Amino acid sequence: MTQAVTPQEQTRRITHWIGGKPWVGDAARRGPVFDPATGTLAGEVDFATDAEVDAAVAAAAQAFPAWRDTSLARRTAVLFGFRELLAARLDELAALVTSEHGKVRADAAGEVARGLEVVEFACGIAQLLKGEFTEHASGGVNVHSLRQPLGVVAGITPFNFPAMVPLWMFPLAIACGNTFVLKPSEKDPSSAVYLAELAAEAGLPEGVLNVVHGDRDAVERILAHPGIAAVSFVGSTAVARHVYETAAAAGKRVQALGGAKNHMVVLPDADMADAAEAAVSAGFGSAGERCMAASVLVAVGGCGDVLVDRIRERVSGLVVGPGTDEASEMGPLVTAEHRAHVASYLDVGAAEGAKVAIDGRDHDIAGDPRGFWLGPCLLDDVSPEMRVYTEEIFGPVLSVVRVATLDDALGLIERNGYGNGAAIFTNDGAAAQRFETEVEAGMVGVNISIPVPVSYYSFGGWNSSLFGDLHVYGPDGVRFYTRGKVVTSRWHAIAAHHSSLAFPNAGGSDG
Ligand code: NAD
């Protein structure tokens, strides 16, 4: 029996954005874009050929000299305009995120709001790019420093924050005077195009921001392209490592943020109700498809039973349904394949000896049965050699590891290999302080389960969660998207001073 196709189920074609306008390419290859809440095909996205990636880089290269020379006042005015449009259209963009990613509307709006904060930070670029000046460093000699843009820079982004992660990158890159080529995830590509449209509406000159779609082929062309000076990447660890190594070997500056296995440590003195609530929110929010999701709950000193009981109680009433429904607390996973992959870890965990304390496959779903649903899952008695512990699952599966002491918890995190976020829940200030100092992670929460830094700090993990030196957005973002230059100058005649040929006072600058 064929199923009736509603107008909402008709597919859209999602194309590139090059040189300030939509670019309908050859599209020898395209990818499917689904509505994860109904399981239906919602659109098809063009995959860029090498020639199309080249066209985007050429448009960005052509736009670069004029954009680099555009006054800071004008650049800032465009950014303020973009900020206003983004705020005004937040709901539209959030709806687009929900339609292709599946996350609930409030969460999608939160993602756009966090991205908006980076735009607001970028609006302060005039202050951020100020150099240093030293008068009279030597006789008649002054020194000042500059930070200058790199040229054409590229961003490659993951599916799980289709609006926020691009916003971590391009507003600051273009504020610094660079031009940009964005390659968003092929699973939910429409938000990136929408952002480019808004930027154009705000007065961003054509070619300054370009969007090309595709999968690994488009990424490989970006990594090899001689016209691209730097690459920002966010995605899984295996790809991040590959991007870092390949782009660095091609002489590019790279920051490549990878996957995560974030530990939330609960000490026995913590408020258990707060900790359980935080674990549910950080473990199952956005269906666990967050790089800062809590995926390991470390119960210290015998507090495991009470935590598991409270989590079970909270999860039993948790509403899993379409992101468009205001009652939904958790939406579907992004694709059928990903849902199957995540669910398979329940069997893997059980076979390895973990206890399936909550099986999300049995959770009531308030939505279309064709959707990519998996309810919250809890694996108890997980130990560090199990695959469910060592591998990033990237779905609503929270593992409980029970340990005796804070030392054990710190050792567990250190040996894990990832180092994105880590959190501790406690009322003991000394324990919290020790955790903050010793934990092997780039972002730390104290009684905060998802410690994503605000936009005027920078975001980045340690170890296998980040390849490169600089974190994204905030002050590190400005450093990443600019090169330093130091100018030593003198306007007095050299002959007026005693001159010597010896270094360092060549030209008599020591006079
Ligand atoms: P992914 O690594 O599959 O894809 C990321 C990007 O790389 C996409 O644009 C994709 O098209 C491209 N890509 C995929 N496979 C490739 C390959 N073999 N060669 C070249 N390019 C390739 O990641 P995802 O599934 O879209 O996103 C989820 C992952 O991203 C998780 O591992 C998550 O932890 C991570 N993530 C990390 C952060 C962070 O800040 N550290 C933030 C968000 C997501």
Side-chain angles (χ1 to χ4, degrees):
M1 193 183 82
T2 54
Q3 251 162 349
V5 175
T6 67
Q8 293 75 26
E9 290 176 355
Q10 282 170 3
T11 58
R12 288 177 302 121
R13 180 161 175 197
I14 301 149
T15 62
H16 316 299
W17 179 273
I18 298 176
K21 43 190 165 307
W23 176 293
V24 181
D26 290 344
R29 291 174 65 224
R30 290 188 202 170
V33 177
F34 294 97
D35 173 353
T38 61
T40 53
L41 188 70
E44 280 194 306
V45 58
D46 290 355
F47 282 6
T49 59
D50 283 0
E52 284 160 350
V53 174
D54 292 355
V57 178
Q62 196 181 353
F64 175 64
W67 182 245
R68 174 196 59 201
D69 295 342
T70 297
S71 71
L72 281 169
R74 175 73 200 132
R75 275 189 240 159
T76 305
V78 172
L79 283 161
F80 269 107
F82 179 57
R83 188 256 166 233
E84 289 303 295
L85 285 172
L86 202 50
R89 312 268 174 82
L90 191 146
D91 287 340
E92 272 171 55
L93 180 53
L96 203 51
V97 169
T98 296
S99 71
E100 293 183 350
H101 177 282
K103 64 179 73 175
V104 301
R105 193 61 64 80
D107 204 36
E111 135 162 32
V112 178
R114 291 308 294 262
L116 185 77
E117 288 170 15
V118 180
V119 182
E120 288 168 346
F121 179 76
C123 285
I125 194 65
Q127 174 70 18
L128 296 166
L129 281 185
K130 272 184 185 167
E132 299 156 307
F133 186 90
T134 301
E135 186 186 31
H136 203 61
S138 187
V141 172
N142 296 336
V143 182
H144 66 276
S145 64
L146 311 172
R147 294 213 68 92
Q148 298 187 317
L150 308 176
V152 178
V153 300
I156 301 163
T157 53
F159 80 82
N160 67 315
F161 284 108
M164 184 182 77
V165 174
L167 287 167
W168 282 359
M169 299 175 181
F170 77 79
L172 209 45
I174 64 176
C176 291
N178 302 283
T179 54
F180 205 89
V181 176
L182 172 64
K183 206 301 286 173
S185 169
E186 67 278 26
K187 295 190 179 110
D188 46 13
S190 296
S191 301
V193 179
Y194 189 86
L195 290 170
E197 287 169 4
L198 285 191
E201 197 177 331
L204 191 70
E206 49 188 53
V208 175
L209 173 62
N210 306 276
V211 181
V212 288
H213 300 290
D215 57 4
R216 61 185 301 172
D217 290 359
V219 171
E220 295 304 337
R221 182 61 190 151
I222 287 171
L223 301 184
H225 200 298
I228 293 175
V231 176
S232 298
F233 173 88
V234 176
S236 56
T237 286
V239 183
R241 186 181 281 116
H242 169 71
V243 165
Y244 182 75
E245 291 173 357
T246 311
K252 302 183 197 315
R253 185 179 287 202
V254 201
Q255 52 181 188
L257 283 74
K261 199 81 187 174
N262 304 309
H263 292 57
M264 175 178 154
V265 176
V266 182
L267 298 191
D269 65 87
D271 179 317
M272 289 298 143
D274 271 7
E277 187 62 32
V280 168
S281 161
F284 307 128
S286 197
E289 293 171 331
R290 289 183 182 137
C291 64
M292 289 292 275
S295 47
V296 182
L297 182 61
V298 187
V300 180
C303 67
D305 287 347
V306 57
L307 281 174
V308 168
D309 286 349
R310 283 182 184 272
I311 290 171
R312 191 183 278 112
E313 193 185 323
R314 170 70 177 90
V315 159
S316 64
L318 197 145
V319 183
V320 180
T324 46
D325 188 337
E326 279 200 2
S328 299
E329 296 176 275
M330 193 182 117
L333 278 84
V334 70
T335 58
E337 292 73 35
H338 188 58
R339 187 250 168 234
H341 176 71
V342 170
S344 74
Y345 278 100
L346 296 170
D347 297 330
V348 169
E352 288 176 315
K355 197 184 325 157
V356 182
I358 304 176
D359 191 333
R361 293 171 294 198
D362 301 334
H363 200 95
D364 282 343
I365 304 298
D368 188 324
R370 295 172 299 172
F372 310 138
W373 308 107
L374 180 63
C377 307
L378 195 70
L379 292 173
D380 199 359
D381 291 330
V382 169
S383 55
E385 70 286 350
M386 294 179 183
R387 275 182 56 205
V388 290
Y389 177 80
T390 56
E391 295 176 13
E392 183 183 32
I393 299 175
F394 215 59
V397 181
L398 183 59
S399 295
V400 181
V401 178
R402 294 158 184 253
V403 299
T405 65
L406 175 58
D407 277 335
D408 297 337
L410 284 164
L412 194 64
I413 297 171
E414 184 172 354
R415 287 187 296 276
N416 177 258
Y418 291 104
N420 219 37
I424 188 165
F425 278 69
T426 181
N427 281 305
D428 178 344
Q433 207 168 41
R434 183 166 164 230
F435 186 81
E436 173 187 327
T437 305
E438 295 183 21
V439 72
E440 277 283 315
M443 295 169 283
V444 180
V446 176
N447 297 320
I448 302 269
S449 54
I450 307 186
V452 174
V454 288
S455 65
Y456 40 97
Y457 286 78
S458 300
F459 180 110
W462 286 13
N463 304 330
S464 300
S465 295
L466 173 77
F467 302 93
D469 307 320
L470 293 171
H471 294 191
V472 284
Y473 68 74
D476 270 15
V478 177
R479 280 180 214 114
F480 183 78
Y481 291 124
T482 54
R483 290 191 287 184
K485 188 181 267 182
V486 179
V487 181
T488 306
S489 58
R490 180 180 53 200
W491 290 94
H492 297 289
I494 294 173
H497 297 266
H498 173 68
S499 180
S500 154
L501 297 184
F503 181 83
N505 62 342
S509 61
D510 279 356

